[in-house]
Amino acid sequence: MKPTIHSVAQEAGVSISTVSKVIHNTGSISEQTRKKVFQAMNKLNYHPDVAAASLRGKKTKVIGLLVPDISNPFYAEVARSIEDRSRELGFNVMMCNTDNDAEKEKEYLSLLTSQRIDGIVVASAFRSTDLLEGLLEKGIPIALIASEIPKLSIDTVTVDDYQGGYLATSYLLSLGHKRIAIIVENVRSNIPRLEAFRDAMEEAELPILDGYIIKTEAMIQKGYEGARQLLSLQERPTAIFACNDLLAAGVIQAAKEMGFNIPEDVSVVGFDNTVLSTTTSPMLTTVAQPVKEMGAKVIDLLTKEMQTSKPYKERLLLSPELMVRQSTAALP
């Protein structure tokens, strides 16, 4: 049976009026009670009908934004570009940081729908795709940025990750490097970057040596640990392609601590072209994503969907650009 507000109240151990207050964000409700209600809504897969009704009728002029990690400069810049374009069009943005956690994704989706937002932008790999599918069926407009969910028919704006990975690897090959390693994040967008790395190395008829592919999380510390592992190999790489700037910053830090000079001893390439790329020493050669354009386009697609549901969704694939700085050099 379809869950009701009554079943949510029973599950949470509160009154129906308390659930109603949480849904409509009215009254004085403790954070503990609010969390219990959201957890019950998630468990029962309950989404207030009032949210869908508001999307068909009165508009709130609020867009929800889900990001995986706002401490990552890339997602901070994505959020800023989305907010800038939203404000130009008269919308406010409610941002939620999921920490790549499936439970948080569920809680925030319940929060956003209960707040009667006009649409949602998802800027993460997103684990709870079944929940997104349920919201789409209810008529809630959703768009993706910097990620893809192939099984959903949904407006998407992303960069050509394969082209970006190929640009980075080809550039290192052009500098004469043959022993090239890669540190890749365990997310969907990094799969084509790794594929491009493999293809470029194969086209150059060069092997990828054992231990030269490291899969990890997007953290400076993980880039640091990966670089120490790579640079401790008996046959160490002369170049490292880190698949985002956070990882690349960790690579630079580790290389320096181990007594290697950059780029004389090891060249480093990142991906994203965040503020980190110009604050590292030396400044980082990286693959730039057109973040400002991506943010503007995803909001344009979402607002178009708000006005009239399109039978065919759009997938915009933007081109990356290699930004050459001081962290790379020709192999001596």
Side-chain angles (χ1 to χ4, degrees), residues 161-175:
D161 289 296
Y162 182 91
Q163 182 187 4
Y166 196 86
L167 280 173
T169 311
S170 296
Y171 178 64
L172 290 172
L173 289 168
S174 74
L175 295 176

Side-chain angles (χ1 to χ4, degrees), residues 2-185:
K2 183 179 179 180
T4 65
I5 192 171
H6 179 72
S7 55
V8 171
Q10 282 188 321
E11 178 68 30
V14 299
S15 66
I16 292 176
S17 64
T18 296
V19 176
S20 179
K21 287 176 183 178
V22 171
I23 290 173
H24 295 92
N25 197 29
T26 59
S28 179
I29 305 293
S30 71
E31 281 305 310
Q32 183 179 2
T33 300
R34 190 180 299 275
K35 187 169 184 178
K36 282 169 60 179
V37 171
F38 280 133
Q39 287 174 340
M41 291 167 66
N42 291 334
K43 183 177 179 180
L44 299 175
N45 197 24
Y46 173 79
H47 299 288
D49 290 338
V50 69
S54 71
L55 289 166
R56 293 191 296 268
K58 183 180 177 183
K59 301 296 182 182
T60 61
K61 306 298 283 186
V62 176
I63 291 171
L65 170 62
L66 290 167
V67 297
D69 182 7
I70 198 61
S71 66
N72 183 331
F74 173 70
Y75 288 109
E77 292 175 19
V78 165
R80 178 57 185 267
S81 68
I82 286 172
E83 184 181 38
D84 288 347
R85 182 56 176 162
S86 297
R87 289 185 65 81
E88 287 177 7
L89 299 178
F91 290 88
N92 291 313
V93 175
M94 182 184 293
M95 189 181 70
C96 303
N97 187 75
T98 69
D99 291 322
N100 284 311
D101 182 271
E103 282 304 310
K104 281 191 175 182
E105 290 174 354
K106 293 177 184 177
E107 287 184 20
Y108 281 134
L109 282 178
S110 293
L111 171 65
L112 292 173
T113 52
S114 70
Q115 295 299 307
R116 308 185 188 186
I117 42 78
D118 293 339
I120 299 173
V121 176
V122 176
S124 71
F126 214 81
R127 287 152 175 77
S128 308
T129 56
D130 55 329
L131 293 180
L132 289 181
E133 193 168 9
L135 295 181
L136 289 169
E137 290 173 357
K138 287 177 177 288
I140 298 178
I142 301 175
L144 298 178
I145 182 171
S147 65
E148 294 185 82
I149 304 177
K151 75 173 187 175
L152 296 184
S153 177
I154 193 168
D155 288 318
T156 302
V157 178
T158 188
V159 74
D160 190 331
D161 289 296
Y162 182 91
Q163 182 187 4
Y166 196 86
L167 280 173
T169 311
S170 296
Y171 178 64
L172 290 172
L173 289 168
S174 74
L175 295 176
H177 294 281
K178 294 180 172 59
R179 299 200 305 272
I180 305 174
I182 185 170
I183 304 178
V184 62
E185 186 187 354

Side-chain angles (χ1 to χ4, degrees), residues 194-308:
L194 177 57
E195 288 176 353
F197 169 76
R198 292 182 189 275
D199 288 348
M201 293 294 286
E202 184 178 349
E203 288 173 14
E205 298 183 345
L206 292 172
I208 300 171
L209 301 184
D210 289 342
Y212 270 36
I213 297 176
I214 293 179
K215 297 181 180 180
T216 187
E217 301 168 67
M219 299 167 58
I220 290 177
Q221 179 63 26
K222 295 299 182 181
Y224 173 89
E225 292 169 2
R228 289 196 69 91
Q229 183 177 329
L230 289 168
L231 296 174
S232 297
L233 293 172
Q234 185 172 2
E235 197 169 10
R236 67 170 181 83
T238 62
I240 299 174
F241 171 29
C243 285
N244 65 53
D245 288 350
L246 281 174
L247 292 172
V251 171
I252 290 175
Q253 181 184 351
K256 286 182 176 180
E257 281 191 13
M258 296 176 74
F260 294 105
N261 293 318
I262 300 172
E264 293 82 4
D265 299 321
V266 58
S267 286
V268 182
V269 176
F271 202 112
D272 288 338
N273 195 39
T274 63
V275 64
L276 275 177
S277 63
T278 55
T279 55
T280 57
S281 179
M283 289 194 291
L284 181 66
T285 294
T286 187
V287 177
Q289 298 200 55
V291 174
K292 188 171 183 179
E293 183 183 2
M294 290 167 69
K297 286 187 179 297
V298 79
I299 292 300
D300 289 346
L301 289 177
L302 184 67
T303 52
K304 190 189 299 183
E305 180 72 13
M306 291 176 193
Q307 294 162 2
T308 173

